[in-house]
Amino acid sequence: MIEINTESVSKKGYEKCASLIVEEAERDSLDVEIADGEKGAKDGLSRPNVIVTFDAGSDTTLLLESHFDIVPPGPNWTYPPFKLTVKDGKAFGRGTADNKSGIVAAIGAMRQLEKEKLDINLRLIAGVDEEIGGRYGADYVLSDYGLEGDAALVLDAGQERLYLGASGIIWGKIIVEGKQGHAGYPFKAKNAIYEAMKLLAALEPYKTAVEKKESILHAPPEAPRRFVWGRYTVTMVKAGEKENVIPGTCEVRFDRRLLPEEPVEQAEKELRGFFKRAVKKTGCRASLEITNKQQGYHTPKDLVFVQTVSENVKKTIGQSLPFAAELGGNDGSFFAKNGIPVVCYGTIREDTHHHGVDEFVYLEDIRNTRDLIVNLGKVAREKIV
């Protein structure tokens, strides 16, 4: 899988990678089906979400989820990003940790359980498009294709904590209007960049208010704060054509991270209120467009399923893990949206450089994740629901 470039925007390697997963699953006599998100997107770009099922004939199903799309590798890798390099107990390559190793662990677990008589079914969603929001990946599989399950283990986290939630998101675009002109005659123009700077400065109280928000869930171990908190970050600024032209428009993009339990509609209303006040204060001509939003989620720790996963993590790795929530988002929100309790665990440790140069995964973590799934597969159905 690492040799196949499955970058999520072009999607050029999706079908090849999906075929490889299908071939591997069928070699183990597992049931396979494809839920193609293109049927929802209707843009001619295939999005083959692969569903692999270990059918125990039970009325209870544990869903497993991982994704095979990746972000572009970028330059300056020590090891080739699209060639698997194994060294000193680590496997290097783009997508090793995030998130192709989760697929390997899940199918490996099903292979080990092949001759076992289980009380629950196991069903893996090897999804796509997670890195760009997941609407036609896991969301399509659950909300449109109609795949059902009783609980979900999302294999898109690290092994330092057991994750019971993830942050929601609001992505937005601000267009600031000025008046285009020649740089030699600035008095005849209104520079949209300067206007945008004034507006962003006026939005600083919003940033402060957001950062005061604090979740009931602990943050990951690498975080500077004990509990998950709100975050607002300007991430893109686009303006201008050439050095001697004063730009008439400036586009600003931002990322707002919500608390796992924070309602996304309430957060959007708050954002629009701060934006309206900033525009009034500065006199800028500006518009706000929400380009994407996703509700975060929070799984209560006293659920039977959560306790079952926690117990089996201890059985697998020999220690209990504290509960936490992820600072980023993941596909778990789509399970929660459909009323399916979610726990996250996996191979993406803090130091694995996921999304960065020389991404790698610890081979031991793939084995641990596989063994956790094996142990969960052997539990009684009453331990899932």
Side-chain angles (χ1 to χ4, degrees):
M1 284 194 290
I2 299 304
E3 293 179 0
I4 304 170
N5 182 351
T6 50
E7 186 268 316
S8 54
V9 175
S10 70
K11 314 184 197 308
K12 289 181 180 177
Y14 276 11
E15 289 188 329
K16 185 177 180 181
C17 191
S19 295
L20 179 61
I21 297 167
V22 169
E23 180 183 335
E24 191 71 18
E26 289 181 339
R27 191 164 69 87
D28 296 316
S29 300
L30 298 165
D31 296 330
V32 183
E33 56 191 298
I34 300 290
D36 195 335
E38 194 283 330
K39 293 179 180 178
K42 294 181 172 57
D43 60 2
L45 299 175
S46 181
R47 295 169 176 80
N49 297 281
V50 185
I51 303 168
V52 180
T53 301
F54 185 112
D55 188 356
S58 174
D59 61 357
T60 301
T61 298
L62 172 61
L63 298 174
L64 310 168
E65 197 267 352
S66 189
H67 63 90
F68 60 84
D69 64 302
I70 60 169
V71 298
N76 303 319
W77 281 58
T78 306
Y79 309 100
F82 296 115
K83 183 179 186 302
L84 187 68
T85 303
V86 179
K87 184 177 180 181
D88 299 329
K90 302 174 184 177
F92 292 86
R94 173 55 90 225
T96 48
D98 189 10
N99 196 225
K100 294 178 178 180
S101 54
I103 298 169
V104 172
I107 293 180
M110 292 181 183
R111 178 177 298 159
Q112 287 205 2
L113 291 165
E114 185 178 4
K115 292 184 169 54
E116 299 277 350
K117 183 172 175 54
L118 306 184
D119 200 29
I120 62 171
N121 309 314
L122 296 175
R123 183 165 287 141
L124 166 68
I125 303 170
V128 299
D129 278 10
E130 192 274 347
E131 301 293 0
I132 54 172
R135 172 62 191 96
Y136 299 110
D139 191 20
Y140 176 82
V141 173
L142 296 163
S143 302
D144 300 85
Y145 190 74
L147 191 73
E148 297 181 345
D150 297 283
L153 180 68
V154 172
L155 306 170
D156 194 3
Q159 302 197 355
E160 301 93 346
R161 298 285 189 277
L162 201 55
Y163 292 91
L164 303 186
S167 300
I169 62 168
I170 295 177
W171 288 348
K173 176 172 68 174
I174 298 171
I175 300 293
V176 182
E177 302 287 346
K179 182 181 178 183
Q180 190 182 60
H182 192 288
Y185 301 84
F187 50 89
K188 292 185 176 181
K190 179 176 280 190
N191 194 322
I193 294 176
Y194 296 162
E195 293 295 293
M197 290 168 63
K198 287 194 298 185
L199 186 62
L200 291 176
L203 281 169
E204 279 297 303
Y206 174 65
K207 183 175 187 292
T208 301
V210 163
E211 291 180 347
K212 287 181 179 178
K213 298 177 185 291
E214 192 169 82
S215 174
I216 61 174
L217 290 170
H218 283 85
E222 70 273 17
R225 290 170 60 167
R226 186 180 177 192
F227 294 93
V228 175
W229 70 101
R231 286 139 288 150
Y232 157 78
T233 309
V234 174
T235 53
M236 298 168 65
V237 178
K238 295 180 181 179
E241 301 168 25
K242 57 196 304 277
E243 290 83 351
N244 64 343
V245 178
I246 295 171
T249 62
C250 181
E251 177 184 306
V252 177
R253 301 268 185 149
F254 63 86
D255 177 298
R256 160 79 161 94
R257 295 286 159 155
L258 284 62
L259 308 185
E261 65 271 32
E262 186 177 1
V264 68
E265 300 303 333
Q266 180 180 312
E268 180 181 344
K269 182 179 179 180
E270 177 190 48
L271 166 63
R272 290 189 181 279
F274 270 93
F275 177 77
K276 185 177 181 179
R277 289 191 289 275
V279 168
K280 184 177 181 180
K281 178 181 178 180
T282 59
C284 293
R285 291 169 52 211
S287 61
L288 168 64
E289 176 188 346
I290 304 302
T291 58
N292 187 28
K293 57 185 176 181
Q294 183 171 307
Q295 179 66 51
Y297 69 92
H298 165 218
T299 305
K301 65 181 180 181
D302 57 354
L303 289 184
V304 170
F305 174 60
V306 174
Q307 296 305 315
T308 297
V309 177
S310 182
E311 291 164 8
N312 280 276
V313 165
K314 184 176 181 179
K315 179 180 178 181
T316 302
I317 67 174
Q319 67 181 74
S320 298
L321 293 181
F323 298 133
E326 295 195 73
L327 296 178
N330 62 39
D331 283 337
S333 62
F334 302 127
F335 295 89
K337 182 178 78 170
N338 285 275
I340 301 170
V342 190
V343 175
C344 295
Y345 179 89
T347 61
I348 311 176
R349 284 190 183 267
E350 177 188 349
D351 62 348
T352 54
H353 301 168
H354 59 288
H355 289 197
V357 173
D358 288 338
E359 178 184 352
F360 72 91
V361 65
Y362 292 101
L363 298 180
E364 179 185 7
D365 288 350
I366 303 178
R367 290 191 291 267
N368 286 341
T369 304
R370 176 201 64 190
D371 292 347
L372 172 62
I373 297 168
V374 168
N375 288 331
L376 287 172
K378 293 179 180 179
V379 303
R381 62 176 300 279
E382 292 79 13
K383 301 286 268 181
I384 299 296
V385 293

